Structures are given as structure tokens and as C-alpha cells.
Amino acid sequence: MRAMTNSIIRTRFAPSPTGLLHLGNVRTALFSALRARSRGGHFLLRIEDTDAERSRPEFVDALQRDLRWLGLDWDEGFGAGGDAGPYAQSERGELYAGYYSQLIDKGLAYPCFCSPAELERGRKRMRAQGKPPRYPGTCAHLSAEEGGRREAEGQKPTLRFRVPLGRTIRFEDGVRGPVSFRTDEIGDFVIRRSDGTPAFFFSNAIDDALMGVTDVVRGEDHIANTPRQMLLLEALGLAAPAYHHLPLVMGQDGAPLSKRNGSASVEELRTKGYLPVAILNHLARLGHRYESDALLSPTELAAGFSPERIGHSAARHDPQQLDHWQSEALRSLSDAEMQAYLEAAGVLEAVAAEQRPALARLLRDNITRAEEAPLWVAAFAADPAPYSAAAREELTAAGAEFFSAGLEALDAAEDFPALAKAVGQATERKGRKLFMPLRAALSGQTFGPELPRIWEYLGRERVRLRLEAARRHAAG
Ligand code: GLU
């Protein structure tokens, strides 16, 4: 085993760039980053692009942009440099070659000429015998001559790792505790594909060791891969990291979260106006418990993170929960930040510069995402407010006299509660019958920001214009 000379925690995110980052895989990145940050460690980015057909440079660009936007910057790795590069697996072929040779020389890896059809037949046979399908060892003892002959014929072998029989591989999972697998159930597995590219088990494990990764944080779907990877590392005299397997995230339908059942891409969420801190608070609680129910800053999320607080059962992604954090995140913004958020989303363009700060303040408590802002921008930018159908009904039902009463009370009213009280007394209305027509008149809508806040925003003279317009409408 190679001694770990330095005890600093090193975690990594190792995406395959075959699509956009979405909530499911970004949670893995977040937990890896939090594990490192909670312990003053380093977080690395490694690109697992061994599948040349499905990997795309635009996804490599997109995932870096998404991670940075979320504030999940990495200390080392692809695009950031470091001593253990290159950090894209497609550029590490030479390094891998040395390890294949070592395994071949030790008799721990052998070429396999089985065709996919033969392998499938083998799996069927095993299943028919009620056994878990695993490689039956067809090529495990081919002579060197036979192997050479087949290669000379142009057959392209894969390289398989020889799994030792009769052993039990045990490890202490940081989330699940002691885990064990019997090697008899594993079967010799492919470490190099017939086109010469490394198989996942191999490059992923080797790179964790060569990059000095101390803690692998990844989805539970990888747990059965772990004993294979530990065997490989052991055979090569490389140190195995500590493993932390995260419970899966489910969609609303109870199936693993995917793009099909609600896992939005980070790009989509950004376009809709979600804030990074909202997404982080949502994801950090998918399978991990925090003592606080309040919106936490990235630093607080790291400080409160611990593998012991990760649950064993699957977590469910609830889009309403994400919206809850988004509302909290907006409420945590200063007026200037809220204004900047709305401006960046391009929804304040029609609003005069001097009106923007107050409008931003008014909207902060009332919208969840920037995409909801245009309705309120239209409602408050100019007088009178455009009326929704529901608001028109309220105005008509209240009648012109109701608004006359409002106009009469207006000059003496100091604020909205005083106005509402005076109108209530004059018209003998209260509750919904009093407030709904006032809301419809002042905002053109039947829901929205609190009425005292609307008054504060509009000021007495604009309230007057709106009550007059409402009276005209009610008078038909
Ligand atoms: N590239 C692998 C994946 O995206 C990484 C798995 C791991 O974290 O070990 O699933």
C-alpha cells in the first residue's frame, strides 16, 4: 500500500460528460464538495470521458459553468490544474498502459475473446441455473499461443481482471457502515475494452488512487462496483479511498430521479431564475439532515455536513421544497441584490430607474422566481393597473359607491389600515368583501403582495388614480 503522506481530505466529482448536469448528479457533486469543505480539504474535478462516442466537449464546458455558477468551485483538476493531471481520462491512456502491463505480468489479467453473443448465452445459462450471471471464465486459461493466434487472425480481445475466489471483501462505508461482498459472486470483469479504452471500474479506481482521493462520495448505484475496485487497487499495491455511498434520490413517482421524472437540468433552473443558494439548500437536504431548518449559506452548509447525518433510505425530490428554498433565498436578499436579480433576469426593463428599488422590495416577498415578475411589473409600473378577469368581477360586484367611499376616506387616511377601516365603516363591509375589491383596485389582481406594502409602494396619489379608475370600471 502506498502511504498517504498527507492527511488532508481530498474528494472528487467525476462526471461523464454525456449530458447536462441535473439535480440528481449535481447532488453528488455537492456532497463531495461539502465533505471536503467541512474538513478543510480539497475538492477535485475529473472528467470521465472514456466513452468517446457519448462524451461531448460542450457538456464538459456546460458542467464547469454549472458547477461554478452553483459556487461548487474545485481546488484542483480539469480546468484548474494540479500535480496529478491530466484530469480528463481520455488523456491518461499512457498511465493506464503501465497498470495493465503490471496486471498481465502478475497473471492477474488476461485477454478475453468472447463475443457479445457468447457472453449473453453464458449469462442466460447461469440464470437458467438460478445463479447470478457472471463471466464463466471461458478465456481464463487460454494459452499464450492460442491468444496470439486469435489476435493474429484479427480478433480484438478485451482484458479481464482475474478475481480471486473464496474471499470476502469488507469495507466500512461512511454512510452505510460495514459492507461485505463475496468474491465468488463477482466474476472476472473487463478492465480494458476491445477498442483499447479503459473500462469504468479500472480508470475510475486507478485515478482515485493516483489523484490521492481520500474520500469517494457517490451514488449507491455504485456500491456493488466497490469490491471490484478494491480488488484492483490491492492487486496494484495502490491505496483504496474511504467510500461513502449516498442514498438514491427518487422523483415524485417513486422511481430514481432522472430527467424523465422531474430532475431539471441546472441550466433550466438558472434560466427560470432559481438562485444557487436555493438549489444548494434543497440538494443538501436530500438524504442529509441539518439541525437548522433555516436557509444556510454555503459555508454553513459545509460546517453542518457530516456523513453520519446521511440517511440510509432513498430521498425524494419534491419540487415544492425547492420552491420553498427559493422563496427563502429571495427573502434573504438585500434590496439592491433583489433589484440586481430582477435586472439580470431582464424583467425590469420597462420600469423607470427611480422606481426599481421600491418595486424590487415589493416583489421580494411575493414571487418565487424572476419569471413571475412581469405580471407584477405590469401591475405596478403604470396607472391604472391592467385588470385580470377575476379583478374585473370584484370591481363590478363592489359597485361604484364602494370606491367613492374609498376616495372620500383617502385624504384623512394615514396608511392602508386606516383607509380600510374608514371604508369598512362607511360601507359596512369587512373581511374578504372589504379587502378583495380594494386589492383588485390597487393591483388589478385578486392575489399578490400585502396591501399595506402596495400602499407604501404606490403612495397616496397613485392610490387615488387607481380608486378613480376602479370607480369608473364599476360604474360600467
Ligand atoms: N463517472 C462515474 C459516474 O458518472 C463516476 C462514478 C463515481 O463517482 O465513482 O457515474
Side-chain angles (χ1 to χ4, degrees):
M1 295 272 160
R2 204 179 56 163
M4 295 300 313
T5 42
N6 92 39
S7 59
I8 187 171
I9 289 226
R10 287 165 66 83
T11 67
R12 50 56 168 184
F13 180 47
S16 307
T18 56
L20 290 173
L21 284 190
H22 57 96
L23 286 172
N25 49 20
V26 110
R27 185 196 62 151
T28 307
L30 171 65
F31 280 35
S32 292
L34 291 176
R35 170 70 179 153
R37 288 180 190 169
S38 67
R39 304 280 298 270
H42 281 172
F43 174 53
L44 284 72
L45 176 65
R46 178 173 75 232
I47 305 295
E48 301 215 320
D49 54 352
T50 57
D51 183 341
E53 259 172 40
R54 293 177 60 224
S55 299
R56 297 255 190 289
E58 59 268 29
F59 292 134
V60 177
D61 293 343
L63 72 90
Q64 292 181 85
R65 188 185 58 228
D66 290 347
L67 290 174
R68 289 206 181 95
W69 178 72
L70 285 166
L72 298 179
D73 297 83
W74 51 106
D75 308 292
E76 182 183 323
F78 193 87
D83 296 336
Y87 292 94
Q89 290 186 325
S90 57
E91 295 168 24
R92 295 175 66 79
E94 279 176 35
L95 279 160
Y96 302 145
Y99 290 99
Y100 294 130
S101 304
Q102 275 192 45
L103 292 172
I104 294 168
D105 293 347
K106 290 182 187 170
L108 293 176
Y110 59 86
C112 168
F113 294 90
C114 296
S115 67
E118 266 173 274
L119 293 171
E120 184 48 37
R121 275 198 298 277
R123 280 193 288 268
K124 272 203 186 128
R125 257 197 317 276
M126 308 276 274
R127 274 194 219 105
Q129 294 166 11
K131 294 182 190 158
R134 59 179 178 81
Y135 182 63
T138 320
C139 296
H141 302 289
L142 283 190
S143 65
E145 292 75 43
E146 175 66 8
R149 191 185 61 73
R150 294 208 194 178
E151 284 202 57
E153 275 175 6
Q155 292 189 37
K156 295 224 176 318
T158 60
L159 189 66
R160 279 189 192 268
F161 178 71
R162 208 185 286 281
V163 173
L165 294 176
R167 283 182 54 192
T168 301
I169 303 297
R170 297 173 208 281
F171 63 97
E172 183 71 21
D173 189 283
V175 176
R176 302 169 53 111
V179 179
S180 64
F181 286 91
R182 295 194 21 240
T183 58
D184 291 2
E185 281 159 18
I186 297 177
D188 296 350
F189 56 89
V190 173
I191 55 177
R192 188 178 62 202
R193 302 188 193 105
S194 58
D195 64 1
T197 57
F200 162 78
F201 299 121
F202 178 85
S203 48
N204 178 269
I206 302 290
D207 285 348
D208 282 339
L210 298 184
M211 293 177 184
V213 170
T214 62
D215 288 56
V216 164
V217 179
R218 62 182 178 187
E220 205 172 71
D221 46 330
H222 284 291
I223 199 158
N225 300 334
T226 303
R228 290 178 170 86
Q229 299 194 303
M230 292 175 72
L231 283 168
L232 266 174
L233 294 173
E234 180 192 82
L236 290 166
L238 296 170
Y243 292 96
H244 309 270
H245 287 98
L246 305 174
L248 295 182
V249 183
M250 301 298 183
Q252 289 293 85
D253 58 359
L257 187 62
S258 70
K259 279 168 223 158
R260 276 176 294 281
N261 62 1
S263 188
S265 68
V266 173
E267 194 165 289
E268 213 174 308
L269 296 175
R270 179 170 52 233
T271 310
K272 285 189 169 171
Y274 284 92
L275 288 166
V277 73
I279 299 173
L280 297 182
N281 270 267
H282 177 59
L283 293 177
R285 289 173 170 90
L286 285 183
H288 182 280
R289 295 177 304 276
Y290 278 92
E291 270 159 31
S292 166
D293 284 338
L295 185 83
L296 299 175
S297 69
T299 315
E300 291 166 331
L301 286 174
F305 181 84
S306 161
E308 283 140 38
R309 300 212 181 113
I310 298 173
H312 291 197
S313 46
R316 193 175 287 246
H317 161 65
D318 176 357
Q320 283 185 359
Q321 210 46 44
L322 174 59
D323 282 352
H324 162 75
W325 293 115
Q326 170 66 12
S327 304
E328 294 288 301
L330 285 185
R331 280 164 197 43
S332 77
L333 297 183
S334 68
D335 293 354
E337 285 167 340
M338 182 68 190
Q339 184 179 337
Y341 165 77
L342 294 170
E343 280 169 350
V347 293
L348 291 187
E349 270 149 29
V351 180
E354 66 276 11
Q355 273 189 33
R356 289 184 179 189
L359 187 59
R361 198 175 323 134
L362 180 66
L363 295 196
R364 181 176 44 218
D365 295 336
N366 196 58
I367 61 171
T368 309
R369 293 184 299 278
E371 63 180 4
E372 296 162 18
L375 174 74
W376 303 109
V377 169
F380 296 117
D383 303 303
Y387 298 137
S388 70
R392 277 199 294 273
E393 273 178 34
E394 291 291 344
L395 299 178
T396 307
E401 275 177 27
F402 176 87
F403 298 105
S404 298
L407 286 161
E408 268 161 42
L410 189 61
D411 281 325
E414 231 167 79
D415 51 17
F416 180 80
L419 174 72
K421 192 172 170 202
V423 176
Q425 277 164 1
T427 61
E428 294 184 352
R429 284 168 177 249
K430 56 184 187 215
R432 195 193 172 285
K433 281 189 161 319
L434 172 62
F435 289 103
M436 223 17 130
L438 286 173
R439 176 175 285 288
L442 298 195
S443 71
Q445 299 291 334
T446 50
F447 63 101
E450 286 172 30
L451 285 161
R453 310 279 312 274
I454 295 179
W455 166 288
E456 279 160 30
Y457 172 75
L458 291 172
R460 192 191 309 275
E461 289 320 306
R462 291 188 67 192
V463 169
R464 190 187 314 280
L465 292 175
R466 288 180 174 222
L467 288 173
E468 283 168 356
R471 180 169 63 183
R472 281 196 300 280
H473 181 93

